[in-house]
Amino acid sequence: MKRMYEGKAKIVYQSDDPETVHIEYKDEATAGNGAMRGVIARKGPMNRDITVQLMRVVEAAGVPTHLLTEVGDRFILARKLRMIPLEVVVRNRIAGSLARRLGLAEGAPLPEPIVEFYYKSDELGDPLIVPAHAPLLGVDLETVRALEELALRVNAALAPFLLDRGIVLVDFKLEFGRDAEGTIRLGDEISPDTCRFWDAATNEKLDKDRFRRGLGGEAEAYAEVLRRIAAPRPGA
Ligand code: UDP
């Protein structure tokens, strides 16, 4: 397979069909735009499995995704997308950069979910933008509105699904692109690398903050998320 692009957590390969790609989920972990590096044992296969399960929940809620099928233990076959150069963050509780930026304590629930846009640029360190900046980056305002609506639909589907499994969806990052027909689809991943997942009973962190903050126990936390997501729904 021909490598098209290697990112920090995934590798994209051209497949035989020009409209599809294979995506490999790596065990490598980075934080702080590559300043921290490490390996989380079996992260790739776990993130692949978590992403597949959660993208199916998202699809069932009417949001198109790039997912086609699983391949092996750490790949998916996906539709090739032309990626929109924005990271879309949805927040349900105060945490991370929102807590730092506004000088607020982590943990408080927000009255309504907040959607934020960041310009995807390693050089600039993915700066926070306002929607009016997007046209300067080649993304029109109609697309920005569509992304906001899709991101809120993803949140409305995932938050209750996860809470049923004892996980609070604190915040998460999504990336979207357009397929050959021009349809906007969710791409990238939905995993503990890109979401904050807190245990609903104890507030224990079950996500990449364990790595970012040197707490240890990353592999165990990711395995616990997968175990809860893959288990049949309690009471069902
Ligand atoms: N996030 C991500 N990639 C990034 C930045 C953020 O996946 O490059 C995710 C992160 O895991 C969290 C959410 O987006 O679930 C919000 O992150 P935040 O802005 O609080 O940034 P951080 O605290 O990670 O600097």
Side-chain angles (χ1 to χ4, degrees), residues 87 89 91 95-98 100 116 118 126 171-173 193-196 212:
E87 298 192 340
V89 168
R91 302 180 183 275
S97 70
L98 179 64
R100 291 197 299 275
E116 296 173 346
Y118 294 81
D126 298 344
D171 57 32
F172 58 97
K173 182 264 297 180
D193 276 9
T194 60
C195 304
R196 285 197 169 91
R212 292 188 192 102

Side-chain angles (χ1 to χ4, degrees), residues 9-10 23-28 39-53 70-76 189-193 219 222-223 225-227 230:
K10 296 187 293 303
I23 301 177
E24 178 179 358
Y25 288 71
K26 302 198 285 187
D27 292 344
E28 281 81 25
V39 169
I40 300 173
R42 301 286 300 159
K43 176 167 83 73
M46 292 192 284
N47 276 0
R48 193 288 301 268
D49 288 350
I50 293 166
T51 294
V52 166
Q53 299 269 0
E70 299 156 82
V71 180
D73 77 339
R74 58 169 72 235
F75 290 83
I76 63 165
E189 66 185 279
I190 314 175
S191 76
D193 276 9
Y222 283 49
V225 169
L226 176 57
R227 189 187 69 75

Side-chain angles (χ1 to χ4, degrees), residues 177-217:
R178 290 185 189 275
D179 66 17
E181 280 83 52
T183 301
I184 300 177
R185 290 181 179 272
L186 179 63
D188 194 46
E189 66 185 279
I190 314 175
S191 76
D193 276 9
T194 60
C195 304
R196 285 197 169 91
F197 293 139
W198 291 1
D199 181 278
T202 65
N203 277 353
E204 188 191 349
K205 297 182 199 310
L206 300 173
D207 56 56
K208 202 166 103 177
D209 272 347
R210 302 204 70 84
F211 175 78
R212 292 188 192 102
R213 301 179 187 193
L215 302 174

Side-chain angles (χ1 to χ4, degrees), residues 11 21-22 37 39 41 89 96 98 117 127 133 135 138 146 173 192 196 199 208 213 224 228-229:
I11 306 173
V21 292
H22 280 89
R37 287 170 188 279
V39 169
V89 168
L98 179 64
F117 296 94
H133 295 166
K173 182 264 297 180
R196 285 197 169 91
D199 181 278
K208 202 166 103 177
R213 301 179 187 193
E224 179 61 17
R228 294 190 194 182
I229 287 174

Side-chain angles (χ1 to χ4, degrees), residues 18 22 51 58 66 77 88 129 136 138 140 148 154 166 172 184 194 197 216:
H22 280 89
T51 294
V58 165
H66 68 162
L77 181 69
V88 186
I129 65 162
L136 306 175
D140 61 49
E148 177 165 12
V154 170
F172 58 97
I184 300 177
T194 60
F197 293 139

